[in-house]
Amino acid sequence: VIPLFDSDGKPPETASVVVRVAVNQAIWRTLDYAWPAALGSPARGLRVRVPLGKGNKLTPAFVVEVLTSDQAARRNLKPVAQKLDHEPQLHEPLMRLGEWISHYYLAPLGMTLAAMVPAAVGAPARQEEVVSLTGADPNLAALGTRQRRAMDHLLEASRQGIGTITLQQLRLHSGADRQTVVSLVRRGLVALASRPVVLQDTQQVPQADEPVPNEDQLAAIAAIRDKLGKGFSATLLHGVTGSGKTEVYVRLIREVVAAGRQAILLTPEIALASQTLTRLVTRLPRVAVLHSGLSAAQRAFYYQQVRDGGADVVVGARSALFAPARNLGLIIVDEEHEGSYKQDSAPRYHARDAAVMRAVIEKVPVVLGSATPSLESLYNARQGKYDLVRLPRRVRGLPMPRLEVVHLRRELQGGVVEIIGRTLTLMIAQALDRREQVILLMNRRGYASYVFCPSCGWIMGCERCSRALVFHQATRQGLCHYCDHSAELPAHCPACDKKLLLFGYGIQRIEDEIQRKFPHARVARMDSDTMTSPEQFQQVLGQFSRRELDILLGTQMVAKGLDFPGVSLVGVASADTSLAIPDFRAAERTFQLIVQVAGRAGRGATPGAVVVQTLVPQEPAIRLAQTHDYAGFAAAELPARFETGTPPATRLVRLVLRDEDASVAQLAAAGLAKELKAALGARGVRVAGPQPCGVLRMNNLYRFEILLFAQKPGVVQQWLWPRMEELSRRLEAELVADVDPLQLL
Ligand code: ADP
Ligand code: ZN
Ligand code: ZN
């Protein structure tokens, strides 16, 4: 082996150092580049830019390997153009996690690694202005009112031992603007300086009302605490709604931080806006909260704080899993059953499963919490892969809310266009009379499911998708929920000129009905059409918690993790919305949704009631949700999955072939399916299809799918990954791979 470097450590002029990089493109191969000596020494995990293709377009990439001189010999390689960081952004455990995600989820490595680092990371650190007293004796009488107020505040702060405060804080508390401060600087009373922004310790003095963990919580904490610092372990924390799982998380995180390590808490995006979480954050040491409302610069700031050890705890949605904590001690995934943990564009990873893998790599414990664990996690627990810890009761001896399932057909008067039946109407009226709050779930956006002509059967469809447009009231337009295309509602049927009708119910129609029936109630609607920013969530949830709202009407957004003691009634307008979708998880989703939303009721002094409206009251998912019978549901559903050979009995990989030309997509799918059957049939993989996707045409592309049900994880990937590059080039249609898919449309 020829040494790459001379004994003084510098690369000799002639030495050619070669790096292998993964580019942020749909390219599956890694590529080799010469490493110019001027860039210092290369390292795995560094971000660079490399010239790519004939045009030598500068393309972001990650160094994944520094080659030895043997491997690097005798080649005429293009040189790396730029180095983007001094130190690798991704340290070894995250590089390994990225490699696992790339292989397991069938995504190009460069794209996967790029998705793990916020784009703005590496920009110069943000600066903030800070103010401190110089110690000069102030002649307060000589100052103007504003100057005086600013000085009062600074003096008070310094009496409390705080020597320096940010200009922003000073402005907030005393109303002093920059000009006021500058005038105080001129008087020699204060100094104004600039420093890199650091994360403030938000932890407040332990509050008097901090809950004392009950017996169940103590047992759960003890069981998991035992595993801290002892390598990898996975625990499924199955706690009924209102059992105080958050308290268990808080205590565990504190232990981890006290031992000098960092913790990551993943939550669904919506939970980040809830008060529970805000309260939680004030009870933990230096927390970086990562959510979708952050600017690129803020995101990068938190990222750097975590990497440099300036944050002890990271709380965030999906991508917080990639927080560069270098001293990790614990990962917690709250509401582990949540579908939003699955990313729906490449890399299509599931943050819960990737969290377990990160815990394996980092040799730390991971805790998955839920009131309705996914059957995947339950099955893992039954297999002995996860330890099961339970919180079977609600805190403070609160009863589980009582569920009443009502048959909608018997509840409505014939001929009346309504969806809030007699029972639910009456109970809402009673709750409002008692000044209690109501949460109402309708898990379907829009006003009406579609617009049609009763005379000739014409349906207003999307011109880009094989789906009907959903009628939206506010815009009086049809909107496609698959591609966002919208169209004006025609005055008459474009085919026969007759009158058009609306069919089906969406949340907006229910909002109308509520306003008609309870004109004095203060109602807010919470769905992805009204909630377009995280601030809006926070605002509505704030109003609801201050009791400035009586009824919170929403899609599945209102089912998640909300804790409002004023809510005595929860109504499910239609339990059937998710049952109708052709998906082997339809029953599981329905059960989870009902149990979760029901869990929002009765968290305060008054016991909670829940009314579930349905057209199919005998459906097991609904019957079992009525008694919060998770065990019963699992006992019925899990064997059914084994009978049909669907997850978690098997591992599913879904391949979609799409093209503007239907026959091109279909032919490509048929050819690939044949190939897969020949190659994988003998390895315990059942190949189903090709068949048209549930939504045949989406966004102008025709789609055909192949479903691969494997007995063992990884079998399909092992065969497919090394062939993705070649297949993508050879197949006429675009190939999309989704491993452990949650959406089967
Ligand atoms: P879960 O996530 O299990 O549904 P939460 O963690 O939201 O439940 O807790 C529900 C409520 O109970 C919160 O308001 C919390 O502050 C409170 N709480 C938690 N533990 C206790 C306890 N041991 N005693 C009294 N109240 C508690
Ligand atoms: Zn017509
Ligand atoms: Zn569309």
Side-chain angles (χ1 to χ4, degrees):
V1 180
I2 310 154
L4 267 184
F5 301 122
D6 288 336
S7 51
D8 63 355
K10 282 197 196 111
E13 289 303 305
T14 51
S16 57
V17 179
V18 174
V19 292
R20 190 152 283 174
V21 307
V23 290
N24 183 9
Q25 288 280 320
I27 294 178
W28 295 77
R29 283 167 299 144
T30 47
L31 305 169
D32 291 351
Y33 284 86
W35 183 268
L39 294 184
S41 47
R44 178 165 146 90
L46 270 179
R47 294 184 306 173
V48 293
R49 279 206 189 87
V50 295
L52 189 68
K54 293 225 175 60
N56 283 330
K57 188 166 187 291
L58 280 193
T59 308
F62 279 83
V63 174
V64 293
E65 200 181 342
V66 180
L67 299 190
T68 64
S69 50
D70 282 0
Q71 295 167 304
R74 73 189 185 284
R75 272 188 296 175
N76 208 355
L77 295 169
K78 291 183 198 171
V80 169
Q82 288 167 17
K83 187 173 82 163
L84 297 181
D85 306 301
H86 292 296
E87 297 289 324
Q89 285 299 344
L90 295 173
H91 65 316
E92 189 54 30
L94 285 178
M95 285 298 288
R96 285 177 55 201
L97 181 64
E99 284 164 344
W100 178 80
I101 288 175
S102 161
H103 278 85
Y104 186 82
Y105 291 104
L106 294 169
L109 181 58
M111 281 173 75
T112 305
L113 296 174
M116 294 169 70
V117 182
V121 162
R126 266 201 306 160
Q127 300 279 313
E128 65 186 354
E129 287 187 296
V130 289
V131 186
S132 52
L133 293 169
T134 55
D137 206 6
N139 177 6
L140 292 179
L143 301 177
T145 343
R146 282 172 177 219
Q147 295 178 350
R148 176 80 189 260
R149 234 184 281 142
M151 282 304 289
D152 282 345
H153 187 79
L154 286 165
L155 288 164
E156 178 55 36
S158 109
R159 268 194 290 278
Q160 290 180 22
I162 303 164
T164 305
I165 64 177
T166 66
L167 186 59
Q168 200 192 357
Q169 278 175 316
L170 184 64
R171 189 183 297 144
L172 214 67
H173 295 298
S174 74
D177 54 13
R178 195 168 189 285
Q179 216 179 337
T180 315
V181 175
V182 168
S183 64
L184 290 170
V185 171
R186 275 201 216 101
R187 286 173 183 269
L189 294 175
V190 306
L192 191 59
S194 202
R195 69 168 188 206
V197 181
V198 292
L199 203 62
Q200 303 292 320
D201 192 341
T202 50
Q203 184 174 221
Q204 291 160 0
V205 231
Q207 292 131 328
D209 63 345
E210 182 159 293
V212 180
N214 61 29
E215 238 169 77
D216 292 338
Q217 287 169 316
L218 284 174
I221 294 164
I224 301 165
R225 182 201 286 134
D226 256 3
K227 304 175 183 186
L228 296 176
K230 295 191 188 144
F232 169 75
S233 63
T235 306
L236 178 60
L237 177 64
H238 180 193
V240 299
T241 56
S243 58
K245 291 183 286 295
T246 318
E247 197 55 36
V248 174
Y249 304 152
V250 170
R251 306 275 166 162
L252 289 170
I253 291 172
R254 284 183 180 166
E255 300 256 346
V256 167
V257 173
R261 308 187 75 172
Q262 294 165 297
I264 296 176
L265 170 60
L266 299 186
T267 78
E269 181 70 44
I270 163 78
L272 287 166
S274 74
Q275 279 92 352
T276 324
L277 208 81
T278 319
R279 263 184 270 133
L280 177 149
V281 164
T282 64
R283 296 181 49 206
L284 292 170
R286 303 172 300 167
V287 189
V289 184
L290 303 174
H291 55 80
S292 63
L294 296 180
S295 69
Q298 284 169 322
R299 190 170 288 278
F301 164 69
Y302 282 124
Y303 191 88
Q304 275 148 5
Q305 289 293 309
V306 176
R307 189 193 55 203
D308 303 339
D312 302 314
V313 186
V314 182
V315 179
R318 203 166 50 213
S319 64
L321 170 65
F322 305 129
R326 308 258 157 148
N327 193 13
L328 193 62
L330 174 68
I331 307 175
I332 297 172
V333 183
D334 191 21
E335 312 283 1
E336 67 84 30
H337 65 279
E338 263 297 314
S340 62
Y341 281 126
K342 183 79 156 64
Q343 168 131 314
D344 58 10
S345 57
R348 295 179 169 79
Y349 66 96
H350 196 302
R352 172 200 61 215
D353 299 334
V356 173
M357 187 42 71
R358 180 160 184 192
V360 168
I361 292 169
E362 303 247 20
K363 303 190 178 66
V364 300
V366 58
V367 175
L368 313 178
S370 175
T372 51
S374 62
L375 289 182
E376 282 78 3
S377 293
L378 179 75
Y379 184 57
N380 279 328
R382 297 236 170 120
Q383 296 265 80
K385 288 186 191 157
Y386 301 168
D387 300 319
L388 186 61
V389 171
R390 296 181 61 225
L391 296 174
R393 284 172 289 259
R394 287 194 146 187
V395 295
R396 286 182 267 126
L398 292 171
M400 295 304 291
R402 190 173 49 85
L403 267 82
E404 189 171 347
V405 173
V406 299
H407 197 322
L408 202 47
R409 192 159 295 131
R410 305 209 187 103
E411 288 273 315
L412 295 172
Q413 280 173 283
V416 183
V417 186
E418 277 187 353
I419 198 169
I420 311 279
R422 234 180 299 127
T423 310
L424 187 52
T425 306
L426 184 68
M427 292 189 62
I428 293 174
Q430 287 170 344
L432 294 178
D433 278 348
R434 293 192 303 259
R435 313 222 157 263
E436 291 162 2
Q437 290 175 298
V438 178
I439 287 179
L440 207 54
L441 172 82
M442 177 61 187
N443 200 19
R444 195 187 282 141
R445 289 167 58 205
Y447 188 85
S449 307
Y450 55 89
V451 180
F452 82 115
C453 170
S455 309
C456 77
W458 178 84
I459 287 180
M460 180 152 108
C462 177
E463 57 184 52
R464 305 151 62 112
C465 307
S466 48
R467 272 295 191 257
L469 295 180
V470 175
F471 180 67
H472 281 246
Q473 176 88 308
T475 51
R476 299 210 54 82
Q477 282 181 336
L479 178 69
C480 177
H481 287 185
Y482 297 93
C483 74
D484 278 340
H485 169 74
S486 64
E488 293 298 325
L489 183 70
H492 301 280
C493 174
C496 74
D497 219 32
K498 297 256 168 57
K499 199 169 174 285
L500 292 171
L501 284 184
L502 299 176
F503 185 88
Y505 291 86
I507 189 168
Q508 295 168 12
R509 201 154 177 178
I510 293 178
E511 188 182 22
D512 272 6
E513 190 176 331
I514 289 285
Q515 267 155 3
R516 201 169 62 239
K517 287 182 167 166
F518 309 103
H520 301 298
R522 297 163 299 173
V523 185
R525 195 181 97 216
M526 205 160 167
D527 57 29
S528 53
D529 297 300
T530 55
M531 299 291 117
T532 48
S533 75
E535 291 76 47
Q536 279 172 307
F537 272 121
Q538 226 134 31
Q539 198 190 336
V540 172
L541 293 178
Q543 286 175 331
F544 197 62
S545 76
R546 291 190 302 272
R547 303 233 181 173
E548 294 161 19
L549 293 169
D550 304 307
I551 301 177
L552 184 61
L553 168 67
T555 53
Q556 29 84 28
M557 283 177 192
V558 298
K560 297 173 190 177
L562 303 183
D563 184 33
F564 295 109
V567 174
S568 68
L569 175 67
V570 166
V572 179
S574 169
D576 311 342
T577 49
S578 46
L579 268 181
I581 298 165
D583 185 320
F584 67 90
R585 287 193 184 87
E588 184 179 7
R589 294 214 176 101
T590 303
F591 177 83
Q592 284 169 344
L593 191 62
I594 298 174
V595 170
Q596 289 286 345
V597 74
R600 305 309 118 208
R603 288 172 166 251
T606 39
V610 183
V611 176
V612 178
Q613 302 194 126
T614 175
L615 288 170
V616 284
Q618 280 316 308
E619 210 36 70
I622 295 174
R623 236 179 344 99
L624 293 160
Q626 186 172 8
T627 47
H628 309 272
D629 188 2
Y630 178 82
F633 177 74
E637 183 69 10
L638 206 48
R641 300 282 179 88
F642 275 84
E643 264 159 47
T644 51
T646 44
T650 54
R651 298 294 188 108
L652 175 57
V653 177
R654 182 185 192 225
L655 301 177
V656 173
L657 286 135
R658 54 190 193 192
D659 195 84
E660 282 176 26
D661 186 332
S663 58
V664 167
Q666 190 170 17
L667 268 174
L672 181 58
K674 219 165 132 193
E675 229 174 301
L676 289 163
K677 275 175 193 157
L680 293 169
R683 300 192 203 190
V685 179
R686 182 163 65 88
V687 182
Q691 61 205 21
C693 292
V695 180
L696 173 60
R697 191 166 60 115
M698 200 187 283
N699 229 336
N700 276 335
L701 298 174
Y702 287 90
R703 307 152 72 241
F704 287 80
E705 69 181 2
I706 303 166
L707 300 177
L708 304 159
F709 296 92
Q711 293 299 332
K712 292 209 185 81
V715 184
V716 173
Q717 292 93 320
Q718 228 170 46
W719 188 85
L720 213 46
W721 205 97
R723 292 171 175 80
M724 285 301 281
E725 174 93 31
E726 187 261 333
L727 283 174
S728 312
R729 247 181 295 129
R730 169 159 56 90
L731 294 170
E732 296 282 325
E734 189 190 352
L735 171 63
V736 180
D738 193 353
V739 177
D740 300 335
L742 293 183
Q743 292 277 356
L744 296 173
L745 291 170

